Amino acid sequence: MAKYFNITGASSAAAELTRELIAAGNNVKVSKISLTNIHATTNCTVDLYIEKALVGKFYLLKAVELPVGATLIYDSINFSNASGEFGLYLKLNKSASETPSVDVIIN
């Protein structure tokens, strides 16, 4: 079952926004993630990572810049998000004075 997110990032007071996409324990099988920059005029920099308590973060994408209107598809992904395992997170980094906006589809 696909999951859909429309994430509008950091406000004027913050430089970044981190959003949990899939919590550990949800038992969701992820095979593909699509990220689309939907902002009309500004590129967006994203981090996509999995994280497990007491183990740490493991980056799938780090500081990847998405041009306006561009879509990045990350496929062939496989990780355990059973109880006590990994959660999936997206971090949007603000560029200039604009607020980034990204659509995320997880299959």
Side-chain angles (χ1 to χ4, degrees):
M1 173 188 236
K3 292 182 154 281
Y4 303 90
F5 302 89
N6 180 275
I7 303 170
T8 299
S11 67
S12 59
E16 60 189 39
L17 170 81
T18 300
R19 171 89 181 261
E20 181 180 63
L21 301 175
I22 299 176
N26 281 1
N27 293 319
V28 175
K29 180 167 175 44
V30 177
S31 60
K32 181 170 61 172
I33 301 169
S34 170
L35 305 172
T36 302
N37 180 357
I38 60 170
H39 195 280
T41 60
T42 303
N43 293 351
C44 177
T45 303
V46 299
D47 295 345
L48 182 69
Y49 60 92
I50 57 175
E51 185 171 18
K52 181 177 177 179
L54 304 176
V55 174
K57 291 181 188 178
F58 299 91
Y59 286 90
L60 306 170
L61 304 171
K62 177 75 172 156
V64 173
E65 187 170 342
L66 295 175
V68 173
T71 298
L72 183 145
I73 297 176
Y74 191 93
D75 56 5
S76 300
I77 183 174
N78 187 12
F79 66 94
S80 174
N81 76 327
S83 181
E85 291 295 323
F86 291 94
L88 178 66
Y89 298 85
L90 178 74
K91 183 169 85 171
L92 299 181
N93 296 297
K94 188 175 182 177
S95 61
S97 61
E98 300 296 328
T99 301
S101 297
V102 174
D103 279 347
V104 180
I105 302 172
I106 299 173
N107 292 314

